[in-house]
Amino acid sequence: HRQVEQFDRLSQRVGDRLYVTLHVRIEQRPGGDAQGEPLHLAGDIELRESYDPVPPIAINGELLEWVVENLVKNSLDALEGRGGVIEIATRYDPDSHRVRVTFSDDGRGMTPAEARRAFLPGFSTKRRGWGLGLALAKRIVEEYHDGKLSIVRSSPGSRSGP
């Protein structure tokens, strides 16, 4: 159960950090990492975070936390148990009043056909995947938060993300 415990801690930390950032209350937590310092996880996985200050925005924190957990879990799965880097960043565009949250990893990548189908319910690249995570994440981002969730770049053997 060690891997599950690590994911629980990671998803809680990422969810909390992103939620705090989106509400513009960036603060150092006792014993926590300062923004920008990478977090090293088991299996030689490094989590790098970079958050722009963001003005208060209306979001459903619980739903977006679930989206973040799902995307981080997908990145961990893409690393296939080997070392690698996962990056999460927020950027605020004051002209459009939009927040861009990006995730990238240096996991196995997706073929163009996989990337086109990634958000379809029932599609999964995982042996035991149900194909619901990305479909639900897209619905939460697009239907409940007037956002957009997409795969910007991915190909087998190369870094996925922006």
Side-chain angles (χ1 to χ4, degrees):
H1 295 290
R2 182 177 174 162
Q3 189 172 11
V4 172
E5 291 170 2
Q6 288 175 341
F7 177 69
D8 288 343
R9 284 197 306 271
L10 173 64
S11 64
Q12 183 64 43
R13 180 179 186 276
V14 170
D16 285 348
R17 287 286 293 270
L18 187 59
Y19 183 81
V20 168
T21 300
L22 290 174
H23 283 84
V24 186
R25 289 188 314 235
I26 301 171
E27 51 192 66
Q28 180 69 28
R29 293 206 167 97
D33 296 318
Q35 179 172 319
E37 291 181 19
L39 174 66
H40 295 277
L41 308 171
D44 200 27
I45 297 171
E46 185 175 304
L47 176 66
R48 298 178 188 160
E49 302 168 277
S50 173
Y51 303 120
D52 278 357
V54 175
I57 55 175
I59 62 168
N60 182 314
E62 289 180 10
L63 287 178
L64 282 182
E65 183 174 329
W66 183 88
V67 169
V68 169
E69 286 181 24
N70 184 266
L71 295 175
V72 170
K73 175 84 169 76
N74 283 348
S75 287
L76 288 169
D77 290 345
L79 294 175
E80 298 175 327
R82 60 175 179 75
V85 176
I86 299 170
E87 293 184 40
I88 305 171
T90 60
R91 298 292 174 255
Y92 176 65
D93 180 3
D95 295 331
S96 66
H97 303 287
R98 306 286 271 177
V99 177
R100 181 180 186 131
V101 182
T102 57
F103 291 79
S104 62
D105 63 63
D106 54 1
R108 72 166 193 84
M110 300 175 96
T111 66
E114 290 171 333
R116 280 191 301 275
R117 298 180 58 209
F119 298 105
L120 296 176
F123 176 77
S124 179
T125 61
K126 300 172 195 170
R127 199 165 164 229
R128 294 187 173 197
W130 289 39
L132 298 175
L134 287 177
L136 288 173
K138 187 173 182 74
R139 185 172 180 190
I140 289 168
V141 169
E142 295 185 357
E143 293 182 22
Y144 292 94
H145 293 91
D146 193 31
K148 181 178 179 186
L149 182 60
S150 62
I151 297 170
V152 175
R153 181 182 71 237
S154 185
S155 60
S158 70
R159 184 168 187 76
S160 298

